[in-house]
Amino acid sequence: MTPSSWHDFHAAEPVFADTVRKRFQQYKHHVLATVRKDGSPRVTGLEVEFRLDHLWLGMMPNSRKAVDLLRDPRFALQANPGPDATMADGDVRISGRAVKVTDPGVRARFAEEVTPPEPFLLFSAEPDEVVRTAMDGDDLVVQVWRPGHPLRTLRRAADDSPVREM
């Protein structure tokens, strides 16, 4: 799969990217999945930042999620589903690779804007799939973006009818 930055995603699908960003910005805490050393999944809480044309994942240097990402950069990130079962703004997920940021200038600009607790590790997320699932009346609507491909929109009715691509 071709690596992609948040900037690339936003350039390819600006409306969808803004919808995803706004959904993540509704709540402070989200769920990050990483890969443990033995290959099993680890799920943990995380705050994310959308700044400087990037999706940033910041964390304490020796946290389990940081150790996981340094060893295996694959991740999945799910937006906080909200306070109740309605999921009124849909379910949003991003998966991809987390790239450790070592450039002192980039880290300084991030720290200037966010003021993270020190010390911190900073990763830039390279999305390889972004998915939004929401209800539209009785239909389930799934939007899927992957680098190098147009946004796909699939609709599934509550009955046994086939999935329709819009």
Side-chain angles (χ1 to χ4, degrees), residues 2-143:
T2 306
S4 174
S5 67
W6 183 262
H7 175 79
D8 296 337
F9 169 46
H10 192 271
E13 293 293 340
V15 173
F16 185 51
D18 286 344
T19 298
V20 169
R21 178 186 48 78
K22 287 175 186 171
R23 181 63 184 81
F24 272 97
Q25 290 176 327
Q26 286 181 318
Y27 300 96
K28 184 173 183 155
H29 298 102
H30 306 288
V31 178
L32 176 73
T34 58
V35 181
R36 296 174 190 250
K37 189 175 183 178
D38 68 3
S40 63
R42 181 187 316 273
V43 179
T44 186
L46 180 76
E47 298 174 26
V48 300
E49 291 288 338
F50 293 86
R51 296 176 187 272
L52 308 169
D53 281 338
H54 287 270
L55 166 55
W56 303 105
L57 312 175
M59 57 200 72
M60 295 185 307
N62 291 317
S63 64
R64 295 291 85 208
K65 59 191 162 201
V67 171
D68 288 347
L69 290 174
L70 289 170
R71 185 190 57 262
D72 184 335
R74 294 176 295 168
F75 75 90
L77 180 65
Q78 182 164 8
N80 185 318
D84 56 33
T86 64
M87 298 280 297
D89 296 304
D91 175 49
V92 175
R93 300 175 307 276
I94 300 170
S95 61
R97 301 175 69 77
V99 177
K100 182 181 175 189
V101 177
T102 58
D103 181 292
V106 173
R107 288 178 51 83
R109 284 196 313 272
F110 177 83
E112 187 176 293
E113 288 199 20
V114 178
T115 316
E118 295 281 352
F120 70 96
L121 275 181
L122 184 61
F123 294 88
S124 177
E126 292 184 346
D128 61 27
E129 183 178 67
V130 182
V131 178
R132 179 176 184 267
T133 305
M135 295 301 295
D136 182 15
D138 290 336
D139 286 355
L140 179 70
V141 178
V142 180
Q143 295 173 287

